[in-house]
Each structure stands twice: as C-alpha cells, then as structure tokens.
C-alpha cells in the first residue's frame, strides 16, 4: 500500500469513527461491517492476557490433529514469509494462536503486539484484524494497515482464512502477517491455497479407519488437493471436502448424513485398489475415482477382520440413544471418545441429521453461552450483524456432542439442564424461544462424581447426562491391543509401503503404557511409517527411545510376548488360527511358541 493510499485510508477511518461517515468508496464492505462491530468495544479496551504455558499445551493437545494437518503448509508459508519479513500463524476456532513461524526479526517485533502462541485475536477482544474478522465473517479477509481497529496494530497487514473440518465445523484460522507496506496483494490468494491443502490433509487424517471415495471429472486431478473426497460409514456420507461440494453442487447440510445412493447412479468397485474406474452421478454425468482405506476380506490376518472390542458397547449405546436417553462417554484423554461418538451418531436413528461437536474446554467461559445457545443481533459487543443460531439449534434433527462436559462453567449448567428438560432454547438478547429436537451425547475424562462433591458440577445435570454411561478402556487395558496395533499399522500405510514390524518391535509397542492412548499410538506409527524405507522390517532400533527403555528389554519383552500368546490361545480355546487373528500375527509364530513350551516340559 502506497503512502498516499495509506493517508486516504487513515482519513476515511477517522471520518467513520469520529463523524459516522461511511467511506464505502475506499473501504471494502467487509471491513466496514467489522468497524461497525468494533465501535461497540470500549475505548479503553483491556486486552486479554495470553494463556499460561500449561493452558497452551492443553490447547495444543485438543487441536493436535489440526496442527499435524497444517504443519506442511506452515513450513511452506514460513519460507515465503521469511523472504518478505513476515510470519504465518495457525489459530484454534476461537482465534487463539497455536503456532507461529517466519522471519525471526519480525517474530520478535510481533511478540510485542502479542502476535504469538497463547494470545487470542478474536474480533471481540481486538477489534478489526484478519484473524478475528475472518472468524466473525466466516470468510477469507485481508486487513491492511489503518484498517485495523487498534492503533498499535496499524503497523501490520494481514490475510487470513477460516479452516473448515470435514463435517463443516470451524477448525481454526490460517493467517499471514507482515509490515503494513510489505505484505504483497496476492497474500490472500496464497493463504487460501494453503488452507485448501490443510483442509485436504485434515479430511484424510480425520477419516481414521473409515473408507474414502476419491473422485473428479478429470483423472489428472486425482491425488491432488483439488480432488473430491467423501468419508463414508455404513453407506452414509459423514465427511466431505469443498471440492466434493462444488463438483456435486450440493450444500454440506444436505450431503452429510445422506446415503451414497442419493447422489450416485453407480460407484467404483470396492476391491479396485488404486485402479481408477469410471462411474456416474444420479444426473448421468461421468466421474472417475477410486476407493481408499478399504481392506480385503481375503486376508484373514488384516485388521479389517480383527474383532472390534468396542462393537458391543456401540450396540448398547445406540439402542439407548435411540430411546431418547442421554449417553455419557467416559475415558482418558486419547482413547477416542469423539470417534466413538461419531460412530454412535452414524449407527443411530439420527444418522441422517447433523453431528454437532462442541468442546466445552476449548471455549472461553465468556463465549461458551453464546456458542451453545446463540444470540440476537446486538446482544453484546462484537456480536455478528444477524446474530447466530447457536450449536444447540444447529443440532436439531441430529446429535449434539458436548466434549469435556466436566469443564462447562457451573453457571451454564442450569441453563443446559432447562434446555434438555424443555427441548427449547432462547438466544441471548431476548430472542424468540425455539423448540429443538436432538439426541445428546457427552464425554469427559474427569471424575464427575468428585466434581459434584466439590460443588463444581450439578448433581441433577449429571443424572440427566448419565442415563447411560459408556466407559472406554485405556489402551493399556484393552484385550485387543495386538489386533488394534496391526489394524492401525495397516491403515496408516504400513502395508501399502510393504513394511512389517518384527516380533521385538511389536512386543515393545504392546508393552508400552501409552499414556496418550490410541492418539499417541497413531502418532507414533505415523512417524515410524514416514521414516521407514519401503519394504523394510522395523525393529527395536527403529522405535523412539522412550519405547526402548527397560520395559522393552529382551527378557521382559520375551515374557510379555509369551503371556500375550498364552492369553490369546486360552481365549481361543486352543485354536491357533483364531489366536493368530486375535493377535494379528502369523500362525507359524504361535506354532513355534507351542513347540518351545513342549520342549521345556520335556526337559
């Protein structure tokens, strides 16, 4: 931006805030709307302090999947920003900065403006700025120099875009920032392209064990970030990227939860592997695509045929949910509570409706009420122009998932209880009460009974939420650990890369306590597979040092391996084939084990 344009913008800004004039010829409508919202902020606005290091670590854990998906884009953009003397930023859905990288000199200056991890840049807290305004508007935005609300921030120019999850929920914001005169005009296009890459990787990662349909009209675009991708569970679509929405011309609200047969006249063969095959939309238009994340039933030792230790829990929980009762999922961090909740939604009577997830621990206390129950226009400073319906109303006809319910402020627990009892919600600001019909699933890793005893959780709300409780076991206590390890190793690309784990490596992985549970195991396997050479066999030396400690010593490891095989044989009534499938190993390993036992007895 030239000095002349900067001066004109500063004058226009002054006329707007001091005289109420609307300089629409100089300022984009989006910025004017943000200025209007910012006028409601207190002139002596007191900026929120950055969260503590511990709280930032908790946010990092809550958004670990987003951070992993964004890492390649962050590194690429950081290289660009170093050449421009700027930085790239990743935030959570509340505008709290999770990661920042770029030019070291600029990073140092930016810290003085609190443009650093742990600081919040919501529009309600800082007025017009790219991160907060992108969140408020739900769209990409560039904010140059004097367009910022706070005078200290006018030395910056920033471009940001929201990041959307596979189910349409807000995942975070990607932003590039630099000095007011140095950020190029094409920065917004650059950050939007990077966001597409992040969203594509987030979609693939979030699919987990579920099948994916990759397709396009042009075969050359398959395998790129422009391909259309659907996540499918029990023949219903549970996730989609923007490319799929555009290609099919369908709104996300209609697509998610619908059946594949509603949109396609035919589909690629399920056993086609990586072969691209033609198929057709309902309208008869041709497509080309392939399935991914499928498993062949011809391989009995593959994880796809391994028993699902949570299947019985899921069946009981779905019957309870279908009866209109509340389900509470309890388990340690990382055991897969949200994954279980999504499977429960897909198996329930509400499968065609939305799945609306709210992390009660991730929302600031002053925002959780408006996030859940919505608000009317002008309900508070920084409120969106047309208000917001709230997540409870968005869940109508589907499932509302309240994660980390134990962290909900006590003041809001009474209001939530009334909503659950009356099945109606009144937005902030005195709006009209609206009837809502949804099923409720909650989750927590905290001891709610202890919270009740200390007055931090309402007993009457606990009774309403815990009409049926599902306790997900930690990974160290699951009896299908070996099968789960084999399944995840296969699904994360181990088999595709022709990799295998030797017995010592398998034993060490099975012996580890896994304090981070399945989430930690998945992260470890991803790293192992990414670093391995195609076709190699991974042993103890390939594992992280934390897995090669005393617990993975040869004697202890051998004993644990023997115990695991004995337990599997006992559970399978001595059937070697069944025990091998349970463990995810070859039958010959068990035959050698039995032969050694016989030799020991003879000796």
């Amino acid at each position: 931006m030239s000095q002349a344009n900067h001066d004109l913008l500063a004058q226009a800004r002054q006329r707007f805030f001091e005289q109420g004039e609307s300089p629409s010829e100089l300022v984009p409508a989006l910025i004017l709307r943000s200025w209007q919202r910012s006028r409601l902020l207190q002139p002596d606005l007191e900026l929120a302090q950055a969260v503590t290091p511990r709280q930032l670590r908790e946010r990092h854990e809550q958004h670990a999947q987003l951070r992993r998906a964004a890492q390649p884009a962050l590194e690429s953009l950081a290289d660009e920003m170093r050449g421009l003397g700027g930085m790239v930023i990743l935030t959570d859905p509340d505008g709290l900065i999770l990661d920042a990288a770029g030019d070291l000199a600029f990073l140092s200056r930016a810290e003085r403006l609190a443009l650093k991890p742990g600081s919040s840049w919501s529009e309600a807290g800082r007025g017009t700025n790219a991160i907060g305004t992108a969140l408020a508007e739900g769209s990409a935005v560039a904010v140059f120099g004097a367009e910022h609300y706070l005078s200290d921030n006018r030395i910056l120019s920033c471009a940001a875009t929201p990041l959307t999850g596979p189910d349409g929920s807000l995942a975070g914001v990607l932003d590039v920032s630099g000095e007011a005169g140095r950020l190029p005009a094409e920065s917004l296009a650059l950050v939007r392209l990077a966001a597409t890459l992040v969203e594509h990787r987030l979609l693939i990662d979030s699919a987990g064990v579920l099948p994916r349909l990759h397709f396009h009209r042009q075969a050359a675009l398959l395998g790129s970030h422009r391909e259309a991708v659907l996540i499918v569970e029990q023949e219903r679509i549970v996730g989609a990227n923007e490319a799929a929405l555009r290609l099919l011309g369908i709104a996300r609200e209609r697509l998610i939860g619908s059946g594949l047969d509603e949109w396609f006249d035919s589909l690629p063969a399920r056993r086609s592997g990586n072969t691209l095959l033609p198929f057709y939309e309902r309208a008869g238009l041709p497509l080309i695509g392939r399935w991914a994340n499928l498993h062949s039933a011809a391989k009995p030792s593959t994880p796809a045929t391994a028993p699902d230790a949570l299947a019985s829990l899921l069946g009981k929980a779905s019957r309870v949910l279908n009866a209109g009762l509340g389900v509470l999922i309890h388990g340690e961090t990382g055991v897969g509570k949200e994954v279980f909740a999504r499977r429960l939604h897909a198996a329930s009577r509400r499968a065609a409706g939305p799945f609306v997830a709210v992390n009660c621990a991730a929302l600031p206390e002053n925002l959780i009420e408006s996030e859940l129950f919505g608000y009317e226009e002008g309900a508070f400073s920084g409120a969106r122009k047309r208000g917001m319906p709230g997540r409870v109303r968005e869940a109508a006809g589907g499932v509302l998932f309240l994660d980390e319910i134990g962290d909900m402020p006590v003041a809001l627990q009474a209001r939530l209880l009334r909503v659950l009892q009356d099945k109606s919600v009144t937005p902030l600001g005195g709006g009209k009460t609206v009837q809502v019909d949804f099923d409720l699933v909650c989750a927590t890793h905290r001891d709610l009974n202890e919270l009740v005893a200390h007055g931090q959780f309402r007993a009457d709300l606990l009774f309403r939420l815990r009409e049926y409780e599902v306790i997900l076991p930690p990974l160290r206590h699951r009896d299908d650990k070996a099968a789960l390890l084999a399944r995840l190793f296969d699904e994360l690309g181990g088999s595709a890369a022709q990799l295998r784990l030797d017995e010592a490596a398998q034993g060490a992985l099975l012996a580890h306590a896994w304090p981070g549970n399945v989430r930690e195991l998945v992260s470890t396997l991803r790293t192992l597979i990414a670093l391995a050479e195609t076709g190699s066999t991974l042993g103890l030396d390939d594992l992280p040092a934390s897995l090669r400690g005393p617990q993975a010593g040869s004697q202890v490891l051998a004993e644990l391996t023997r115990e695991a095989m004995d337990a599997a044989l006992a559970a399978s009534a001595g059937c070697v084939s069944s025990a091998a499938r349970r463990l995810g190993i070859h039958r010959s390993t068990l035959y050698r084990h039995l032969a050694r036992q016989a030799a020991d007895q003879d000796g």
Side-chain angles (χ1 to χ4, degrees):
M1 179 181 292
S2 68
Q3 184 60 46
N5 288 338
H6 185 277
D7 292 342
L8 285 173
L9 181 59
Q11 293 168 14
R13 175 191 153 77
Q14 184 176 4
R15 293 199 308 272
F16 178 87
F17 284 103
E18 294 182 4
Q19 303 167 28
E21 295 183 17
S22 180
S24 56
E25 72 284 357
L26 290 174
V27 182
L30 183 147
I31 298 297
L32 285 176
R33 290 195 298 270
S34 178
W35 281 3
Q36 188 64 46
R37 292 189 295 268
S38 299
R39 291 180 72 169
L40 302 175
L41 300 176
Q42 295 296 326
D44 56 347
L45 176 67
E46 191 170 319
L47 300 181
Q49 296 295 311
V51 298
T52 65
R54 179 179 178 180
Q55 290 170 324
L56 180 59
R57 286 195 299 272
E58 291 173 352
R59 292 289 184 106
H60 280 171
E61 181 179 340
Q62 291 162 9
H63 301 288
Q65 191 175 67
L66 170 65
R67 296 179 70 219
R68 285 195 300 270
Q71 193 60 40
L74 285 177
E75 292 178 2
S76 177
L77 282 176
D79 288 340
E80 293 287 337
M81 289 298 105
R82 289 185 190 100
L84 297 169
M87 65 190 298
V88 56
I89 293 167
L90 177 70
T91 84
D92 71 3
D94 304 317
L96 185 134
I97 297 177
L98 298 173
D99 295 294
D103 182 78
L104 292 177
F106 184 78
L107 285 170
S108 178
R109 294 195 297 274
E111 283 197 5
R112 294 196 287 272
L113 299 175
L115 205 60
K116 62 181 181 179
S119 295
S120 174
W121 279 71
S122 69
E123 194 180 71
R126 294 182 183 270
T128 305
N129 73 88
I131 294 170
T133 302
L135 287 171
E137 291 283 336
S139 64
V141 59
V143 180
F144 296 102
E147 290 177 344
H148 286 85
Y149 174 69
L150 296 179
S151 57
D152 286 349
N153 296 339
R154 292 171 206 158
I155 65 169
L156 299 171
S157 283
C158 312
T161 188
L163 297 168
T164 304
D167 60 353
S169 62
L170 179 66
V173 170
L174 190 63
D175 167 275
V176 293
S177 296
E179 294 180 5
R182 295 192 62 185
L183 199 70
E186 61 271 18
S187 294
L188 188 58
L190 184 66
V191 78
R192 291 178 73 169
L193 174 61
T196 303
L197 299 172
V198 174
E199 290 172 346
H200 186 267
R201 183 165 177 177
L202 189 61
L203 178 90
I204 301 302
D205 288 351
S206 67
V209 300
L210 297 178
R212 304 188 306 269
L213 177 60
H214 297 241
F215 63 99
H216 206 278
R217 301 204 194 285
Q218 302 176 49
L221 295 181
L222 284 165
S224 75
H225 66 280
R226 295 175 61 186
E227 69 178 348
V229 183
L230 299 177
I231 302 174
V232 179
E233 184 166 16
Q234 297 181 350
E235 300 306 302
R236 292 195 172 276
I237 300 167
V238 296
N241 63 356
E242 291 293 333
L245 302 179
R246 289 194 302 270
L247 197 62
L248 297 175
I250 303 168
R252 190 184 298 272
E253 294 74 20
R254 289 190 61 205
L255 190 64
I256 301 299
S258 64
L260 283 170
D261 56 359
E262 294 183 44
W263 313 111
F264 301 104
D265 191 45
S266 64
L267 289 167
R270 296 294 178 109
R271 300 184 186 279
S272 61
N274 288 322
T275 304
L276 300 181
L277 295 175
F279 64 109
Y280 295 90
E281 291 184 55
R282 274 292 183 193
L285 297 175
L287 297 165
I288 189 164
R290 64 178 179 87
W291 285 97
N293 229 19
L294 294 177
H295 312 283
S296 171
K299 297 186 295 181
S301 62
T302 61
T305 62
D308 185 347
L310 305 183
S312 61
L313 295 178
L314 184 67
K316 293 177 182 178
S318 62
R319 292 197 294 273
V320 170
L321 193 67
N322 288 342
L325 301 174
V327 175
L328 176 66
I329 304 170
H330 192 275
E332 295 179 4
T333 298
V335 295
K337 295 187 287 293
E338 182 171 348
V339 172
F340 187 89
R342 289 183 182 277
R343 291 181 63 186
L344 181 56
H345 164 250
S348 76
R349 61 175 179 166
R350 305 281 192 176
F355 178 86
V356 178
V358 180
N359 189 322
C360 299
L363 289 172
E365 188 169 338
N366 63 332
L367 292 181
I368 190 171
E369 184 173 16
S370 60
E371 178 78 11
L372 274 176
F373 307 118
Y375 56 82
E376 293 293 293
E377 181 177 352
F380 55 87
S381 297
R384 295 182 184 179
K385 185 175 183 181
R386 290 179 293 277
M388 189 177 75
R391 306 311 299 276
V392 172
R393 286 173 62 183
E394 289 175 2
V399 169
L400 176 66
F401 175 57
L402 299 180
D403 198 7
E404 301 303 349
I405 186 67
D407 292 286
M408 175 174 281
V410 177
L412 290 187
Q413 293 175 20
R415 184 165 184 194
L416 175 61
L417 182 61
R418 287 196 301 273
V419 169
L420 298 178
Q421 290 171 338
D422 301 339
K423 289 293 183 178
S424 64
V425 61
T426 304
L428 298 179
K432 180 182 177 182
T433 298
V434 178
Q435 292 296 126
V436 286
D437 178 30
F438 61 90
D439 286 335
L440 180 70
V441 179
C442 298
T444 185
H445 70 281
R446 305 185 67 180
D447 185 338
L448 295 185
N449 290 323
E450 184 178 347
L451 294 181
V452 169
H454 288 85
Q456 297 175 314
F457 203 86
R458 293 178 62 104
D460 49 359
L461 178 59
L462 177 57
F463 297 146
R464 176 64 180 80
L465 301 182
R466 198 166 59 189
E467 291 174 313
Y468 183 75
E469 185 171 16
V470 176
I471 300 177
L472 297 183
L475 180 55
R476 61 187 175 275
H477 292 160
R478 287 179 61 164
D479 58 10
D480 65 338
K481 263 195 305 187
L484 178 64
L485 169 63
R487 177 167 71 238
L488 291 174
F489 187 74
D490 182 48
E491 291 163 354
L492 295 172
S495 295
Q498 300 176 351
L499 304 175
R500 64 177 297 273
L501 294 166
D502 70 13
E503 289 185 33
Q506 288 185 50
L509 290 167
L510 293 174
H512 189 61
W514 298 112
N517 291 294
V518 178
R519 184 183 300 153
E520 184 186 3
L521 173 59
V522 167
S523 178
T524 299
L525 292 179
R526 284 186 191 279
T527 303
L528 285 175
I529 293 167
L531 294 175
E533 296 292 334
T534 301
S536 61
T537 296
L538 305 179
L540 273 178
D541 291 342
D542 297 297
L543 301 183
S546 59
L547 300 180
R548 291 184 272 117
Q551 76 276 15
S554 57
Q555 292 183 349
V556 176
L557 177 58
E559 182 61 31
L560 288 167
T561 301
R562 286 193 294 270
E563 289 178 1
M565 288 191 284
D566 287 339
L569 286 165
S572 304
C575 177
V576 172
S577 296
S578 176
R581 284 195 298 272
R582 182 182 292 268
L583 291 170
I585 61 178
H586 197 273
R587 294 190 306 273
S588 62
T589 303
L590 283 173
Y591 283 126
R592 287 195 299 271
H593 170 66
L594 292 171
R596 283 194 295 268
Q597 281 188 331
D600 291 342
Q601 290 171 359
D602 290 342

